[in-house]
Amino acid sequence: MPVGPRLWPLALGTLLLLLGVFSAWQTWLIANEGHAAERVQQARDEAVQVLAQVVAAQRATVQKAVSSVDPVSLQGDHAALVEALRVKLPQAQQLEIYSGSLDEVVHANFREFGYAKAAQLMAAQTADGLPPVQSVSHGLRDRRLSVTWPLGSPQQAQAWLWVELPFAPVQQAFEAVSPASGRLDLRQGDVSSDMRILSNGSASAEAEAVAKPVPGSTFSVAAGSPVAFIVLPHSWPTTLLLALAGVGGGLYLLWWRQRRRESPVVEKDIDIEEFKLSQEAARKAAPPEPLIPKLAAAATPTPEPAPKPAAVGVTVDPAIFRAYDIRGVVGKSLSADVAHLLGQSIGTLMREQALSEIVVGRDGRLSGPELAGALADGLREAGIDVIDLGAVPTPVVYFATYHYNTGCGVAVTGSHNPPDYNGFKIVIGGQTLSEGAIQDLYQRIADNALERGGNGSLRQLNVVPDYLERIVSDVQAERHLKVVVDCGNGIPGAVAPQVLAGIGCEVIPLYCEVDGTFPNHHPDPSDPHNLEDLILAVKQTGADLGVAFDGDGDRLGVVTKAGEIIYPDRLLMLFARDVLARQPGATIIYDVKCTGHLKGQILEAGGSPLMWRTGHSLIKGKMRETGAELAGEMSGHFFFKERWFGFDDGIYAGARLMEILAGDLEERSPEEIFDTLPKGVSTPELKIEMAEGEHYRFMEKFKAEANFDDATIITIDGVRADWPDGWGLVRASNTTPVLVLRFDADSTEALKRIQAAFRTRLLAVDARLKMPF
C-alpha cells in the first residue's frame, strides 16, 4: 500500500527507531546465546551423573538380593526362589526367573511375552559384564525400570532373573535437574536414537543429535539449546551502528511529533485490504468471540445452582438412541428436557457402577450450551459430580476422562451432521457406550427407573492447556512444514491450529472461527465437496499440504499441494508403517469401508490386520478386546493406542501425520511419501438418502436377497462383496438415515463392472432408488 507524502517522515523515523530496538535485542541474544547453550550442557552432564547414581543404586539393590540366594536353590523349584527374592525386593513390580539357556524366551510368542523384554534377556547372554538397565512400558502411563541379572556364575549363568522396579526414582532424578532455558531429553537405545522417554524444559529447544550415555544403562540424555532468533552478524560495530541509528530515529520522531502539534493536519482514512481466499464468505459485522478467552473465563469458580428438575410427562423418541451415540434434531426429537432425563439415566448407570464424577464438554453448535447445561442438571439430580469443560472438541472430552481420572465423560456434539442436529457421545467406566448399552439408557427413561433427589456438585475446569502440552511434549515435526488448517467453523478451530503450531508447523488457518451455523461449508471432510476451499487455499498459499477436521474434531481429512485427496484408508497405511516400526506384530484394525490394499500393507509392515464394523464405539471396543495399537475408519476416525490413549482424535492424528512427513530421513515431499502408498480406482463414500428407519429395513431385505455369484461376501456390517480385482459395499449409516456405498478396484473397468453388479441388485430390492453412481 503506498504511503502518503505527509507520512514519509513518520515512516522514516519509526523505521530507524525499530532498527535500534531490534539491534539492541539482537545484541542481547548474541551475548546470551553462548551462555544458554553452555548452561543446558552443564545440566545435561549433571543429569547423566545423577541418573548414573540412581541406576547404580537400583542394581546394587538387586545384587544384594541375589547374593543372598543359596546356589543349591538354583537346582530346585524356581517358584520358591521367586518367593524368596520377593521378600528381599518388596518394591519389585514383576519378578521372574528363566533358564540359563533362555529356551523358553527364544520360543515364546513375543507379542504376548513382550518384544523389549525378550530382546533385553537375550542380549544379556552376550553382554560384556553385567547387562545394562533399561525400561519397559506397560501401556501409556506405566513405565518400569527393568533389570536382568545372572544367577550363579556371571560367565555361564545357571538362570536369569528378570525384575521390574518402579521407574519413579529415575523420573524424579531427571526432572529435578533444571535445564535452564533449554530442554533435556531422556532417551532409550543408541545414543543417536530419538526414542524419547521423558522431556524437561522448553518444547521449542533444538535437541542435539547424539546424546550422552548414562553409565550402566541404555539411557542417554540429550541437551536442547534454546532457539534464538539471531539474524545480525556477530559484529559489534554493526550492532553499535544500528543502535545509533535507532537513537537518531527516536529523537527525530520527538521533533516530528512536536512539529505536528504546532501544525495539525487531518489525514484521510486509509483502506487496508486484507488477504482473503476468493471463495471465503464475507465476515460478519460482529465476528464470533474468540473461544480461548471463553475457556479461561469458564475456569473461574461460579456459585453452584441447584439442578433443575425435568419437565413432567416428557416424550422421548427412541429413534435418537442409535448404534454408537445419541443423535437428534433440536426442537423436534431433542430438547433440554430430553437432555435432563438422559443425564439422570447416565447418572443412574454410574451410581450402579460406584462411579461418582463425570466430565462434560460441548462443540460449537448454538444448541450446545442449553443441552449441556440440562444434561449436567440431570447428572447432578442423580447425585453425580460434574466437571464442565465448556466448549471443546470431542477428543478433548475423551482426554479429560483420563487426565482427571473420572473414566466417564459426555461430549454434547452433532459431529458432522447439519447445524440443527445435536447429540451425545458417552463414555462410562472407560468404555464408549454402543448398541445395547445405549438402548439401556433409553429403557431406564421409559421405565422411569432414574435416580432422583441427588445434589451433585458442579465445577468448571479448562483442560485445553493440558491437552496441548501433552501432545506438544511428545510429538514434534523435525522439518518445517507449511500447512493450511480448515476447521469448517467447527470447534476444532479453537485447538487444532495451536497443536500443529506447537509441534513446529507453520499454520495458515482457514475457517477457524467457531460458528455453529457453519457459514462457509459443512464440517465433514469425508465429502470431497467440503475440501474444495482447502485445495484452493493450499495452492494459493504454496503450503506443503492441507488438513481438515469435522465439526467436533474426531475426524481428519488431508489434501496435497497438487489437490489430491489422500483418503483415510491410505493414511492408515502410513500410520500403520510408523506404529509397526516400534510395535512389530501389533494388531491394526480397519473398518469394512477401507481399501483391499490395506490388508497387504499391514502384513508387509509386520502387523496383524483385522477388518471390523464401522463405528467409533464399536472400533474402540474391538481395540480393547484385541489389544490393538492402532485403528482407523474410512470416515477419517483414527485411534492411536501407541503413545496415546486409544480414542479417536483427528487433531492428534494430524499431529502424528506431520511428525511422519517431517521426520522422513530422505526429506521427501509429502506427495513423494504418499506416492509410496498403493492406490487403485475408488470412490468416496456415496450416499442414498431415505426416510428415518427405512435404510435399516432396506438392508435387511438386501442382505437376504443379494447374491453376487463368484464374490466373497462379508456381512459383519452391511454387505461387502470382494472379487480378486476389487470390491463393493452397501451398509446402513448409524448416524443419519442413508445407505452408504463405496467401491474400490484395480482398474476403471473393474470398478464399472462391480458398480453395475451392485446397481442391478440394489434396484431389484427397490426400483425407486436414486443411484449416486
Side-chain angles (χ1 to χ4, degrees), residues 451-687:
E451 289 279 348
R452 291 179 172 82
N455 191 26
S457 65
L458 175 68
R459 54 186 175 134
Q460 289 83 26
L461 294 176
N462 182 7
V463 74
V464 170
D466 298 307
Y467 175 81
L468 294 171
E469 173 61 27
R470 177 62 180 77
I471 297 177
V472 171
S473 66
D474 179 61
V475 181
Q476 284 294 310
E478 298 297 334
R479 182 158 50 102
H480 178 82
L481 288 176
K482 186 177 181 180
V483 55
V484 179
V485 179
D486 181 357
C487 294
N489 299 112
I491 194 64
V495 179
Q498 297 179 59
V499 168
L500 296 182
I503 68 171
C505 296
E506 179 185 345
V507 172
I508 302 172
L510 175 65
Y511 308 146
C512 288
E513 301 88 356
V514 179
D515 184 340
T517 66
F518 309 129
N520 294 292
H521 67 70
H522 196 58
D524 180 5
S526 67
D527 184 345
H529 295 295
N530 295 326
L531 299 175
E532 292 173 356
D533 290 359
L534 177 61
I535 291 171
L536 181 59
V538 171
K539 291 179 179 179
Q540 285 183 332
T541 60
D544 294 297
L545 76 163
V547 296
F549 302 99
D550 70 338
D552 68 332
D554 56 11
R555 294 185 181 201
L556 170 69
V558 176
V559 303
T560 69
K561 184 184 293 187
E564 180 186 7
I565 298 172
I566 306 300
Y567 287 112
D569 49 2
R570 293 184 69 212
L571 286 177
L572 188 57
M573 297 177 193
L574 194 61
F575 289 143
R577 289 178 186 175
D578 179 61
V579 169
L580 290 169
R582 293 180 294 275
Q583 300 289 339
T587 296
I588 310 294
I589 298 175
Y590 55 97
D591 76 329
V592 294
K593 294 184 289 185
C594 288
T595 175
H597 292 290
L598 186 52
K599 179 178 180 180
Q601 285 291 300
I602 294 171
L603 288 170
E604 186 178 315
S608 176
L610 176 62
M611 181 187 294
W612 193 237
R613 300 167 60 192
T614 295
H616 68 95
S617 55
L618 306 180
I619 292 285
K620 281 179 275 196
K622 199 65 175 177
M623 289 184 74
R624 287 193 303 273
E625 177 187 329
T626 61
E629 294 289 343
L630 173 68
E633 294 182 285
M634 185 59 196
S635 59
H637 290 265
F638 295 100
F639 312 74
F640 286 86
K641 182 68 169 63
E642 191 248 6
R643 293 167 56 190
W644 197 233
F645 299 92
F647 54 75
D648 43 331
D649 188 339
I651 299 172
Y652 178 77
R656 288 287 289 262
L657 176 63
M658 300 305 148
E659 181 182 62
I660 294 170
L661 297 178
D664 182 68
L665 296 178
E666 301 175 24
E667 295 195 354
R668 295 172 293 182
S669 68
E671 287 95 337
E672 291 172 325
I673 296 174
F674 291 138
D675 284 343
T676 67
L677 308 172
K679 64 177 178 179
V681 182
S682 63
T683 68
E685 292 185 14
L686 306 173
K687 298 175 181 178

Side-chain angles (χ1 to χ4, degrees), residues 4 14 87 135 139 157 219-220 277 294 316 339 366 399 455 462 477 510 521 586 590 654 659 690 772:
T14 302
V87 175
S135 74
F219 302 136
S220 59
L277 299 173
K294 288 184 180 178
V316 179
L366 304 183
F399 171 80
N455 191 26
N462 182 7
L510 175 65
H521 67 70
Y590 55 97
E659 181 182 62
M690 291 186 165

Side-chain angles (χ1 to χ4, degrees), residues 31-32 54-55 57 68 103 165 248 252 266 274 291 356 391 400 419 421 429 494 500 557 565 572 577 604 698 718 759:
N32 189 59
V54 173
V55 167
S68 66
D103 286 342
L165 302 171
Y252 181 81
V266 178
E274 298 180 349
L291 185 67
S356 60
Y421 275 74
L500 296 182
I565 298 172
L572 188 57
R577 289 178 186 175
E604 186 178 315
F698 177 92
R759 183 184 295 109

Side-chain angles (χ1 to χ4, degrees), residues 304-328:
E304 295 183 11
K308 300 176 183 178
V312 179
V314 177
T315 300
V316 179
D317 183 357
I320 69 174
F321 292 78
R322 308 192 180 215
Y324 29 85
D325 53 25
I326 297 168
R327 192 84 48 88

Side-chain angles (χ1 to χ4, degrees), residues 728-745:
L729 168 75
V730 57
R731 60 178 291 274
S733 170
N734 285 309
T735 57
T736 51
V738 299
L739 293 178
V740 178
L741 303 96
R742 188 168 189 242
F743 303 96
D744 182 271

Side-chain angles (χ1 to χ4, degrees), residues 271-343:
D271 293 329
I272 301 174
E273 292 293 330
E274 298 180 349
F275 170 77
K276 293 182 180 180
L277 299 173
S278 60
Q279 79 292 354
E280 185 175 0
R283 297 181 182 275
K284 295 183 177 181
E289 183 181 347
L291 185 67
I292 294 304
K294 288 184 180 178
L295 290 170
T300 305
T302 57
E304 295 183 11
K308 300 176 183 178
V312 179
V314 177
T315 300
V316 179
D317 183 357
I320 69 174
F321 292 78
R322 308 192 180 215
Y324 29 85
D325 53 25
I326 297 168
R327 192 84 48 88
V329 178
V330 178
K332 294 182 179 178
S333 57
L334 198 56
S335 65
D337 291 332
V338 172
H340 188 288
L341 290 171
L342 177 62

